[in-house]
Structure formats: C-alpha cells, structure tokens
Amino acid sequence: LIFSSCRFILLITACSAFAPFGVLPPPKHTSLSASNSVSKGFATAALALTLLSPATQPAVADVDFGTNIVVAEKVTREGIYGTYDVELTQTYDNAESTFKSKVETKSKKGKYTALLGVLVMGSFIIPMAQYFWYVRDDDSSDNFFASKKSPPPPPPPKKSGFKNPFARD
C-alpha cells in the first residue's frame, strides 16, 4: 500500500515535468499568512493520511439460506375437473462424474483417429474422383494443347461506294 501511494505521489509530481515550456504562468508571490499555511498543512496531512490508510473491506453479511433437508410440501391446485393435491419435492442434479475412465479413453483413441482420418481423406479424394469421372471422355484439353495455330483470316474486302472524306485510309 505504501509502495502504491509512493507511485501515486511520484506520478503527480512528474506530470508537471511534461508541460511545455512557457504554458504555465509564472507563480505569483503572495504574502504568507498563518491561517493560509495552517489550512494548507491540514489539507496536506489529510491527503497523506488518506493515501496511507488501508482500503476499507466490504461488510460481510451472515445470511442463512435455509437448511439442507429435503422438504416435501403438499399444495392444493385447481384443474379443469376439480381440485387435487400435489406433493412438491426438492430435487437435486446428480453431481457424479459421467466421463469415461482414462484407460477406456486411451483404448478407443485409435478407432476415432482412424475414423477422423477416413473422413478427412474422403473429403479430398471423393471430389477429385468425381471430377475425373465427369471429364474422362472429354478431349477438349487435348485438342486445345495439340492444335497448331491456324493463320489469321484474311481481312475483309474493301467496300465500294460512298467514300468518307474525313476517314483515314
């Protein structure tokens, strides 16, 4: 606590070191009076005592939330065909562990690893096989890569008729 209060005091005193030069107005010379210095002394002492005093602890209330005994209660309810008695009992969840033992988990680890491996490999191999099945009779890629480039078609013949005087020939 003393360490944190010392850090706080150092932080406060260091803040003025980051102020740009000339921003702070020069200190005014005031006359020292006894009442002014005494009030400043009390304020400084109060601040120091506040920083050095321990933090207050929250109040703890002793609250009794009832007993641990399971209680059955009879309640009379009304229904469509008349009134009936219902016995309400307090039930708790089963808190016993339902996890498998370490030995049983380790003995079945290989089975689940193999299953995961089959699923992961199947997710890659089945789409590839399906693609090759669809394109097995398609020879368009062979024709594309095996064909020689044909010469470009001859330019179209020039049109006869009206000649545009502004066109470049």
Side-chain angles (χ1 to χ4, degrees):
L1 182 64
I2 294 175
F3 179 70
S4 63
S5 58
C6 290
R7 277 196 324 195
F8 179 72
I9 292 171
L10 286 174
L11 177 69
I12 296 298
T13 56
C15 287
S16 64
F18 296 112
F21 182 72
V23 173
L24 298 174
K28 296 179 183 178
H29 296 289
T30 58
S31 63
L32 295 175
S33 63
S35 64
N36 191 12
S37 62
V38 170
S39 64
K40 286 183 181 180
F42 280 129
T44 305
L47 180 63
L49 286 176
T50 304
L51 291 175
L52 295 177
S53 66
T56 59
Q57 298 295 327
V60 178
D62 292 330
V63 180
D64 184 20
F65 290 107
T67 63
N68 294 332
I69 300 171
V70 177
V71 178
E73 177 184 5
K74 281 199 166 198
V75 177
T76 304
R77 302 240 172 131
E78 289 188 26
I80 296 174
Y81 302 111
T83 61
Y84 55 95
D85 292 332
V86 178
E87 191 171 294
L88 299 176
T89 58
Q90 184 178 9
T91 58
Y92 293 103
D93 291 338
N94 184 7
E96 293 180 15
S97 175
T98 57
F99 294 114
K100 294 180 181 177
S101 66
K102 183 177 180 181
V103 174
E104 189 178 358
T105 305
K106 195 170 187 177
S107 67
K108 293 186 178 181
K109 183 177 180 182
K111 178 174 80 170
Y112 293 115
T113 304
L115 178 67
L116 183 65
V118 166
L119 290 174
V120 168
M121 293 305 290
S123 67
F124 290 106
I125 293 172
I126 291 171
M128 286 186 220
Q130 193 175 24
Y131 170 75
F132 287 121
W133 178 266
Y134 288 145
V135 298
R136 71 179 187 274
D137 294 331
D138 188 18
D139 59 351
S140 61
S141 61
D142 296 335
N143 293 338
F144 176 76
F145 289 115
S147 67
K148 298 189 183 206
K149 293 197 176 196
S150 61
K158 291 192 173 190
K159 295 181 183 177
S160 60
F162 176 76
K163 182 167 169 103
N164 186 354
F166 300 107
R168 294 183 189 175
D169 289 331

